[in-house]
Amino acid sequence: MKDNFFITCHGRSGSQFLATLMNNSPLWTVTHEASGHDRSIENIQKRFERDWYGDVSGQHRYHFDKLRVKKRGIILREPRDIFLSCCNRGYSYYRLMETIPKIHWSWGILNKRLEMDSSICKILFSKITTDLDYVQDVCLFFGIKDIDFSSIDLSNKINTNRKEHHCYDNFDMLPLDVQKRWTTYDWQ
């Protein structure tokens, strides 16, 4: 099997941030959602037919178990923080309301995969954005050993595309009906 990996997550969970950081390797090519919206498992799999290749993609989480790769990982971010990030992107009210069950479904599936397969690397969003030693350990798990971490600045976020008219600093600032909809789901 080729020396490759696939990391997935729910959207708004740091996939672009982690892929960009890992792609600092001179040896490895690490992409973010490289196959775009092409959800064909055959075309996605073709990208992994080479050594020193990794992809970090929330879009292809539906193929997580089907992709033949050497190592796999899942980025977990608190569901409320994912939702708050969606809110700050300026999603329409309708899109926000339909996003809640999608986050709930994805959160459950990703956690179940981690419970069922101890070989999957659990990657915490809260730590990859704040703890350089943790990021280095994640890279080492996936075989990336040649990044100069002395030049990495974790405060440089990649995807901070907050819309000016939607600036929710915390969950309690959201409209009450949105908060109420959120509480109808079991997040355990």
Side-chain angles (χ1 to χ4, degrees):
M1 181 172 284
K2 301 288 185 187
D3 206 1
N4 56 31
F5 64 83
F6 178 62
I7 299 171
T8 196
C9 58
H10 191 283
R12 312 302 306 154
S13 295
S15 57
Q16 185 176 4
F17 177 80
L18 185 59
T20 300
L21 193 145
M22 293 173 123
N23 200 44
N24 281 302
S25 165
L27 178 62
W28 284 80
T29 299
V30 182
T31 58
H32 175 252
E33 300 179 347
S35 47
H37 294 284
D38 180 355
R39 297 184 191 243
S40 154
I41 186 73
E42 295 81 17
N43 289 338
I44 296 168
Q45 184 64 55
K46 285 179 188 174
R47 295 187 139 303
F48 292 97
E49 294 174 2
R50 55 186 162 153
D51 274 324
W52 306 296
Y53 177 77
D55 188 46
V56 187
S57 171
Q59 286 183 357
H60 303 306
R61 65 187 172 274
Y62 311 102
H63 296 307
F64 186 75
D65 296 322
K66 298 173 194 147
L67 288 172
R68 293 179 313 277
V69 293
K70 187 172 182 180
K71 293 187 179 178
R72 295 179 296 149
I74 293 176
I75 304 171
L76 288 181
R77 184 179 188 187
E78 285 298 318
R80 279 184 175 218
D81 293 336
I82 294 170
F83 187 65
L84 200 58
S85 181
C86 293
C87 293
N88 286 328
R89 286 193 84 188
Y91 284 17
S92 69
Y93 177 83
Y94 175 77
R95 186 169 179 201
L96 281 176
M97 292 304 230
E98 73 177 9
T99 298
I100 294 171
K102 290 178 182 178
I103 294 172
H104 183 263
W105 177 85
S106 182
W107 175 254
I109 293 294
L110 295 175
N111 276 291
K112 184 162 286 297
R113 285 182 175 139
L114 285 166
E115 287 173 15
M116 294 173 55
D117 187 344
S118 62
S119 71
I120 299 171
C121 181
K122 179 179 179 179
I123 304 165
L124 301 176
F125 173 86
S126 61
K127 293 187 84 169
I128 61 169
T129 56
T130 60
D131 185 341
L132 198 54
D133 291 333
Y134 181 81
V135 174
Q136 190 168 5
D137 289 343
V138 168
C139 289
L140 289 173
F141 175 87
F142 289 102
I144 300 175
K145 303 171 185 168
D146 59 348
I147 295 176
D148 176 12
F149 281 93
S150 66
S151 64
I152 303 293
D153 179 8
L154 294 181
S155 66
N156 229 356
K157 303 298 185 273
I158 303 293
N159 209 357
T160 56
N161 51 1
R162 181 183 271 225
K163 301 289 185 198
E164 290 304 316
H165 58 284
H166 295 284
C167 292
Y168 302 107
D169 292 325
N170 61 58
F171 196 80
D172 296 332
M173 294 175 70
L174 295 171
L176 289 176
D177 57 330
V178 174
Q179 292 180 47
K180 185 176 180 181
R181 172 78 187 263
W182 182 268
T183 60
T184 62
Y185 290 87
D186 178 12
W187 295 97
Q188 301 303 320

